[in-house]
């Protein structure tokens, strides 16, 4: 599985992926994403900042998974009592796997990829938020060693803020 840095030529494919994931979540009573967020502009900003990574289907070239990693912490994160107050913090956003590809370990590989990327860039910890009403996602991050540091409220409800300390190896 190849994980690549997205370019503007991938924008429409990422938007289609998001619509598929949003519809799938909604059909499972997880009302997290909609036409307001995340939208085309959010993904375009992710691409232009070189923080969106994706996996394309070998046959069709369609986006089957994506993830964003950057340093952007929502203002609400200031309300959280983070355990790891480090100088260099990376933040994961918008992890998606197309519903047809779920259960193949793709999300786990995406997380592993961005953790290694963060380590290579000398980040000391990673933060993320996960929708409280998405138990599968909450369990997924817990299994990968992310610890809950607190809760914040966004437009769609309560989100758990999670963090993980990285093992940084300085040369």
């Amino acid at each position: 599985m190849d994980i690549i840095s997205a370019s503007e030529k991938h924008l429409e494919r990422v938007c289609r992926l998001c619509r598929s994931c949003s519809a799938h979540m909604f059909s499972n009573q997880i009302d997290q994403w909609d036409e307001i967020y995340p939208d085309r502009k959010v993904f375009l900003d992710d691409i232009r900042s070189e923080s969106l990574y994706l996996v394309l289907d070998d046959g069709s070239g369609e986006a089957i998974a994506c993830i964003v990693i950057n340093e952007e912490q929502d203002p609400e994160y200031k309300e959280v009592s983070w355990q790891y107050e480090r100088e260099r913090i990376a933040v994961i956003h918008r992890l998606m796997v197309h519903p047809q590809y779920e259960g193949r370990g793709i999300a786990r590989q995406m997380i592993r990829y961005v953790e290694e990327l963060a380590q290579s860039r000398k980040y000391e910890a990673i933060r993320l938020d996960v929708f409280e009403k998405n138990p599968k996602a909450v369990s997924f991050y817990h299994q990968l060693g992310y610890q809950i540091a607190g809760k914040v409220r966004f437009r769609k409800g309560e989100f758990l803020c999670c963090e993980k300390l990285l093992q940084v190896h300085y040369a």
Side-chain angles (χ1 to χ4, degrees):
M1 180 179 86
D2 293 328
I3 300 172
I4 63 169
S5 182
S7 69
E8 288 190 36
K9 73 179 182 182
H10 300 114
L11 179 60
E12 293 310 319
R13 288 179 261 190
V14 171
C15 289
R16 282 193 296 273
L17 170 63
C18 183
R19 286 191 297 273
S20 295
C21 291
S22 297
H24 182 68
M25 286 192 299
F26 192 75
S27 72
N28 286 294
Q29 287 76 49
I30 301 169
D31 185 21
Q32 178 179 350
W33 290 343
D34 54 26
E35 66 284 346
I36 297 172
Y37 178 86
D39 65 4
R40 189 175 197 284
K41 183 188 178 318
V42 167
F43 293 121
L44 184 58
D45 290 345
D46 291 339
I47 290 169
R48 287 181 175 163
S49 67
E50 299 179 355
S51 60
L52 191 150
Y53 297 88
L54 71 149
V55 176
L56 300 176
D57 180 79
D58 289 334
S60 68
E62 280 300 306
I64 61 172
C66 76
I67 192 168
V68 172
I69 185 165
N70 57 35
E71 296 180 0
E72 295 175 21
Q73 298 185 56
D74 289 297
E76 290 83 354
Y77 277 31
K78 290 179 180 153
E79 302 168 19
V80 176
S81 298
W82 298 102
Q83 181 178 350
Y84 306 120
E85 290 292 344
R86 299 292 197 255
E87 196 170 307
R88 299 210 11 105
I89 303 288
V91 184
I92 291 174
H93 308 273
R94 297 177 280 289
L95 171 60
M96 290 178 251
V97 175
H98 193 285
Q100 292 178 341
Y101 292 84
E102 283 184 359
R104 300 184 190 184
I106 295 171
R108 189 174 298 271
Q109 289 178 42
M110 299 291 283
I111 292 292
R112 216 176 283 130
Y113 178 84
V114 296
E115 286 177 350
E116 289 172 8
L117 185 67
Q119 283 180 308
S120 74
R121 293 178 178 174
K122 308 290 190 251
Y123 287 100
E124 299 171 80
I126 294 181
R127 293 179 178 166
L128 59 88
D129 57 73
V130 58
F131 193 43
E132 188 176 48
K133 293 181 181 177
N134 188 342
K136 188 175 173 182
V138 172
S139 175
F140 170 74
Y141 288 116
H142 179 72
Q143 289 172 15
L144 293 176
Y146 286 82
Q147 302 297 314
I148 298 170
K151 284 185 188 182
V152 293
R153 184 171 226 2
F154 293 124
R155 182 175 61 90
K156 290 287 190 157
E158 298 286 328
F159 285 73
L160 301 174
C161 291
C162 304
E163 63 186 339
K164 182 177 182 179
L165 187 62
L166 295 175
Q167 300 300 317
V168 179
H169 306 287
Y170 294 99

